Amino acid sequence: MDTTVVNTGTEGKTWGGGNQPLKASYGKMMMWFFILSDALTFSGFLAAYGFSRFKFIDSWPIADEVFTHVPFLHGQELPMIYVAFMTFILIMSSVTMVLAVDAGHKMNKAKVTIYMFLTIIGGLIFVGSQAWEWATFIKGDYGAIQTNGGNILQFVDNEGHRVALRDFAIVDEHKTRVEDQRKSGIWFTDNESLPTFTLEEVVSGFEANDNILIRTQQLTEDGKKTVLSREESIKQLKANGKAVVEGANLHVNEYGSPLFADFFFFITGFHGFHVFSGVVINIIIFFNVILGTYERRKNYEMVEKVGLYWHFVDLVWVFVFTFFYLV
Amino acid sequence: MADAHKLEILRGLIKFKSNTQKIWGVLILLSIVTAIEVVLGIYKPEALEGKVIGMKILNWIFIILTIVKAYYITWDFMHMRDETKGLRRAVVWTGVFLICYLIFILLQEGGYIQGVYENGFVKRDF
């Protein structure tokens, strides 16, 4: 046994091992480095969004015109209000989380329980709001026409207010539109659902209403969308119109570039997934608190660690909010 | 542990009596900043539409306010203020450096491709 050296003679010195220069527990430090790597992932997504936006800087959708809806206030244009509400909810739940951590330091089980509960409720409200926002975005509002080149043509009246397809399209009563089905072709597998109107119905409705103009994706000098003259509008619609687009999905997007929708789904989706997993982890910790696990362990560091994760989710949202909705 | 918190923000301009009080103070600060962002985002004042270093003044304000918010979330909610210098630097500098680099190369490249579309022979509007 004496043949191996167990003493290096450096005990107690700086490089002798056993000292903790960062004065943080292993778990907390690992949580910090996980957060760092996750932050890099998110900034990768946001930077990719910036890349695509700079690539189409003169035709990118204006977020203020896309996210104008608030639940229960139907038909009103209220840009930013609902997202501001969501931001506030998330900051609020961050506050209750940090209060739970603080109560944990004081070994106050009752307070930790209450604050953890409030944090979970805040998280659930946020995830629910995001689901609603997705649903509204997917459903769409005004509808638009896609051109052969994949650009989007929207409709406005003389004063520049948006006009929905349903307000002017002339529905052909005698048409028979049959959705393709699996049995009607050998190689055919599936079909996208048919839009409410056909291209012909929109064109005939457009010709019958003299006061409707077309708005293209291109931005003017002062950052507004270009509106074409009546003659140009008809020409553009007839020459290039290809399909009716309602709402948004990964292929088409009635608000403009499909990339906008792709990034919206991907970034807010990835963030929403983080919020969801945060809520799940919070619930687990919440039950541990109730069962008295940390009371017996004589420290509430677990609450602090999930707290770090929860604050990080809030931190990411602050950036998503700025780069998706404000800038 | 409970006494180890540093209880002042804004370089000592505002001092709090307890950690709980500091949390509410930071919440008020964050709410004010968010409110400013939202109001500016809705009204978009004409005076701030001018450009400084290739970007609208308004966008600079949004980005700076975002970084301010991120600072207070990290420093006070995540208790970065109370960690050792070593841990703070290991996390913050790594992130800041890599993110700045990433943003620079991607935005530079996006701007270049936009130039190709604009000045080259690629037809997009049909």
Side-chain angles (χ1 to χ4, degrees):
Chain A
M1 287 297 270
D2 292 335
T3 51
T4 48
V5 179
V6 288
N7 292 322
T8 54
T10 53
E11 285 82 10
K13 296 199 173 119
T14 309
W15 299 103
N19 54 19
Q20 297 188 321
L22 299 182
K23 296 191 186 64
S25 72
Y26 176 80
K28 222 167 108 178
M29 212 157 74
M30 287 306 118
M31 183 51 97
W32 266 114
F33 289 120
F34 163 69
I35 285 172
L36 177 61
S37 66
D38 216 18
L40 291 173
T41 309
F42 269 109
S43 48
F45 291 154
L46 282 173
Y49 172 80
F51 170 81
S52 302
R53 191 171 169 170
F54 270 52
K55 193 167 143 188
F56 298 114
I57 195 83
D58 51 3
S59 63
W60 200 248
I62 302 166
D64 270 6
E65 295 178 354
V66 180
F67 307 103
T68 58
H69 310 277
V70 175
F72 310 117
L73 297 174
H74 216 71
Q76 294 184 47
E77 301 252 318
L78 299 162
M80 305 277 306
I81 301 294
Y82 197 53
V83 208
F85 164 76
M86 283 164 69
T87 309
F88 188 70
I89 287 288
L90 209 56
I91 291 178
M92 232 15 246
S93 81
S94 234
V95 168
T96 53
M97 186 79 234
V98 76
L99 287 170
V101 173
D102 187 63
H105 282 159
K106 290 167 188 152
M107 298 299 288
N108 188 337
K109 182 180 160 184
K111 268 194 171 171
V112 177
T113 314
I114 292 169
Y115 286 133
M116 282 301 292
F117 182 72
L118 290 176
T119 309
I120 292 165
I121 297 297
L124 288 176
I125 295 175
F126 183 86
V127 176
S129 300
Q130 214 165 37
W132 184 86
E133 185 133 301
W134 269 49
T136 317
F137 186 70
I138 291 169
K139 189 163 150 272
D141 198 353
Y142 296 100
I145 296 290
Q146 193 186 26
T147 67
N148 291 317
N151 292 333
I152 288 293
L153 304 175
Q154 296 169 332
F155 299 94
V156 290
D157 62 15
N158 287 327
E159 280 125 45
H161 297 298
R162 296 285 303 278
V163 179
L165 293 183
R166 58 181 173 273
D167 293 337
F168 69 87
I170 297 173
V171 179
D172 181 3
E173 302 287 344
H174 306 292
K175 68 169 175 208
T176 45
R177 293 167 77 202
V178 185
E179 206 166 329
D180 280 336
Q181 279 171 359
R182 199 180 266 272
K183 63 182 181 204
S184 55
I186 299 170
W187 300 106
F188 184 76
T189 53
D190 237 331
N191 194 26
E192 287 186 4
S193 58
L194 289 173
T196 326
F197 308 104
T198 62
L199 183 61
E200 291 73 40
E201 288 169 346
V202 174
V203 172
S204 60
F206 186 80
E207 284 176 320
N209 288 279
D210 285 334
N211 60 338
I212 299 178
L213 300 171
I214 275 184
R215 204 174 81 148
T216 65
Q217 274 177 226
Q218 293 299 312
L219 293 166
T220 55
E221 291 271 305
D222 50 346
K224 304 258 166 24
K225 297 277 176 190
T226 314
V227 178
L228 302 178
S229 69
R230 179 74 189 165
E231 294 74 49
E232 275 182 79
S233 297
I234 294 178
K235 211 177 109 199
Q236 175 79 329
L237 189 61
K238 284 192 163 171
N240 296 334
K242 189 183 143 212
V244 175
V245 178
E246 285 170 313
N249 53 43
L250 292 173
H251 303 292
V252 287
N253 170 13
E254 69 159 58
Y255 304 101
S257 170
L259 270 176
F260 180 81
D262 297 347
F263 276 112
F264 175 78
F265 289 130
F266 207 79
I267 295 179
T268 65
F270 197 63
H271 176 263
F273 180 68
H274 273 73
V275 180
F276 173 74
S277 48
V279 168
V280 171
I281 297 166
N282 276 345
I283 289 173
I284 295 168
I285 300 299
F286 173 69
F287 281 115
N288 274 340
V289 171
I290 292 182
L291 293 172
T293 310
Y294 308 123
E295 202 70 24
R296 282 192 297 278
R297 210 180 273 179
K298 301 222 171 8
N299 79 68
Y300 278 85
E301 203 188 74
M302 258 341 261
V303 177
E304 203 172 331
K305 278 182 261 187
V306 295
L308 282 179
Y309 179 70
W310 190 252
H311 296 311
F312 170 70
V313 169
D314 182 24
L315 185 71
V316 169
W317 180 254
V318 165
F319 283 92
V320 172
F321 175 62
T322 302
F323 292 112
F324 241 97
Y325 298 93
L326 288 175
V327 170
Chain B
M1 265 305 280
D3 302 322
H5 296 294
K6 292 177 185 149
L7 294 176
E8 49 185 52
I9 63 169
L10 297 168
R11 297 202 163 269
L13 192 70
I14 304 173
K15 291 191 175 85
F16 296 104
K17 286 194 189 71
S18 70
N19 194 36
T20 329
Q21 214 181 36
K22 187 179 84 167
I23 294 165
W24 291 111
V26 172
L27 168 68
I28 291 168
L29 193 97
L30 291 178
S31 304
I32 293 170
V33 172
T34 309
I36 294 173
E37 282 185 337
V38 171
V39 169
L40 286 178
I42 291 174
Y43 292 106
K44 294 197 182 337
E46 285 284 322
L48 301 174
E49 294 284 312
K51 285 196 171 181
V52 177
I53 327 176
M55 195 163 65
K56 279 187 204 163
I57 299 174
L58 197 62
N59 288 355
W60 280 113
I61 295 176
F62 287 147
I63 289 170
I64 290 166
L65 288 181
T66 304
I67 293 169
V68 169
K69 278 205 283 188
Y71 172 83
Y72 282 104
I73 290 173
T74 323
W75 255 243
D76 290 307
F77 286 175
M78 297 167 99
H79 301 301
M80 210 36 151
R81 212 185 278 279
D82 307 324
E83 300 294 351
T84 59
K85 223 176 238 175
L87 179 57
R88 207 155 60 209
R89 287 178 179 171
V91 172
V92 177
W93 287 6
T94 314
V96 167
F97 170 74
L98 289 173
I99 291 167
C100 288
Y101 176 60
L102 190 67
I103 290 172
F104 168 72
I105 47 173
L106 280 179
L107 295 192
Q108 187 67 25
E109 193 66 15
Y112 169 73
I113 293 175
Q114 197 268 333
V116 171
Y117 279 153
E118 183 118 340
N119 310 316
F121 298 98
V122 184
K123 186 174 163 60
R124 282 200 295 130
D125 189 17
F126 58 92

